Amino acid sequence: MSLFVDRRGQGPVPLVLLHGWAMHGGVLAPLVEALETQCTMYVVDLPGHGRSRDCGLTLEPRACAAAIAGLTPPAFWLGWSLGGTIALTAALELPRQVRGLAMLCATPKFVRDAGWPYGADDQLVHQLASDLETDYHATIERFLALEAMGSADPRGELRHLRELVFTRGEPDLRVLQEGIRILESSDRRAALPDLAVPSAWISGRRDRLVPPRAMAWSASQCAGQYTEIQQAGHAPFFGHADAVAQALQPLLFPSSLEQVR
């Protein structure tokens, strides 16, 4: 089986959309709806997730980015959460395929350490990895709660995530473990000044997994555009899809912005 890529929308701008850990492309439906007249979107189910569960491909960012690039035209790429790691890798290493990069609540380094105060607690990530071995569903439930935490309506957002997470089947345990290892080890901070394509960095002010300061710093390293959505948590496309779409406009339509100026 190949990767599942759902083509949506009929707008002039091509846009690849990548979801986060343990989810699938369907979770991004509110953003797809907000952009459907402006973009032709290629909504990917990452390896081991959703309708790509049995594709057999690795989630390793370079290999995953190359596989997606082989199935989509040159386009802007948007990555949410773990999907941002893959989108950033593609933008750094496949600039002819990636016309611009949007990082949505995503960071070049996820885990906090002595030299990176803006990351998530490393013990949290280690615990998720350990818990996957003993209680698969409870671990996903715990991560969903972390994603919803801090939003304007955390209970409603958690309920929505619960409803969506298994609608395309259960993700592959092997790939979930692989995703945790990627979150633990990935660090592309040093490469940000070499980013050759325009970028937008969009954060939720209430995000408890990817602090806004991490994204503001990252944008500053590559001359990217930074936007903070005030009432949003880690999944700003729930309840704030129009604000996310608006934040993407200067990246997707730079000529229109120049005309306004």
Side-chain angles (χ1 to χ4, degrees):
M1 289 181 61
S2 179
L3 278 175
F4 176 79
V5 181
D6 187 16
R7 180 171 170 168
R8 301 290 300 276
Q10 58 277 341
V13 177
L15 176 64
V16 172
L17 296 175
L18 306 180
H19 62 83
W21 184 80
M23 301 303 297
H24 52 75
V27 75
L28 297 169
L31 184 57
V32 170
E33 183 177 346
L35 292 170
E36 62 184 355
T37 62
Q38 298 178 305
C39 300
T40 296
M41 287 162 282
Y42 301 85
V43 188
V44 179
D45 280 3
L46 293 174
H49 297 74
R51 293 171 185 163
S52 299
R53 186 186 191 281
D54 299 319
C55 73
L57 297 174
T58 178
L59 198 60
E60 191 279 320
R62 287 183 176 86
C64 192
I68 295 166
L71 295 171
T72 57
F76 293 87
W77 284 41
L78 180 150
W80 169 56
S81 197
L82 175 64
T85 302
I86 297 164
L88 177 58
T89 298
L92 288 167
E93 302 185 11
L94 303 169
R96 292 185 178 180
Q97 188 72 18
V98 182
R99 293 167 50 179
L101 170 69
M103 296 285 279
L104 181 59
C105 298
T107 178
K109 177 174 170 57
F110 184 72
V111 175
R112 182 169 65 239
D113 62 24
W116 179 241
Y118 306 135
D121 185 352
D122 62 342
Q123 291 303 313
L124 165 67
V125 182
H126 295 332
Q127 192 63 50
L128 286 171
S130 176
D131 291 349
L132 270 175
E133 300 287 347
T134 57
D135 199 337
Y136 172 97
H137 287 94
T139 305
I140 292 178
E141 174 81 13
R142 191 173 304 116
F143 192 76
L144 296 181
L146 289 168
E147 289 184 325
M149 190 181 299
S151 73
D153 180 17
R155 290 184 180 180
E157 194 164 302
L158 177 57
R159 183 168 58 251
H160 200 170
L161 286 166
R162 283 171 175 161
E163 291 170 354
L164 287 170
V165 64
F166 296 129
T167 57
R168 295 186 180 178
E170 295 187 355
D172 182 4
L173 177 59
R174 174 189 61 83
V175 175
L176 291 181
Q177 293 167 329
E178 194 174 359
I180 291 291
R181 290 194 294 271
I182 291 167
L183 290 176
E184 286 182 308
S185 61
S186 290
D187 183 359
R188 302 307 302 266
R189 289 175 297 166
L192 289 179
D194 299 325
L195 187 64
V197 300
S199 62
W201 301 74
I202 304 169
S203 72
R205 179 166 186 160
R206 299 178 173 183
D207 192 340
R208 303 293 180 84
L209 284 174
V210 177
R213 288 182 298 171
M215 300 199 64
W217 180 91
S218 299
S220 74
Q221 300 302 297
C222 57
Q225 170 205 339
Y226 174 67
T227 304
E228 188 174 297
I229 300 176
Q230 295 300 307
Q231 301 299 316
H234 188 63
F237 43 85
F238 290 139
H240 306 278
D242 289 341
V244 176
Q246 185 62 38
L248 290 170
Q249 297 303 302
L251 177 70
L252 301 178
F253 301 98
S255 59
S256 297
L257 184 64
E258 289 299 322
Q259 290 173 7
V260 170
R261 291 176 178 170

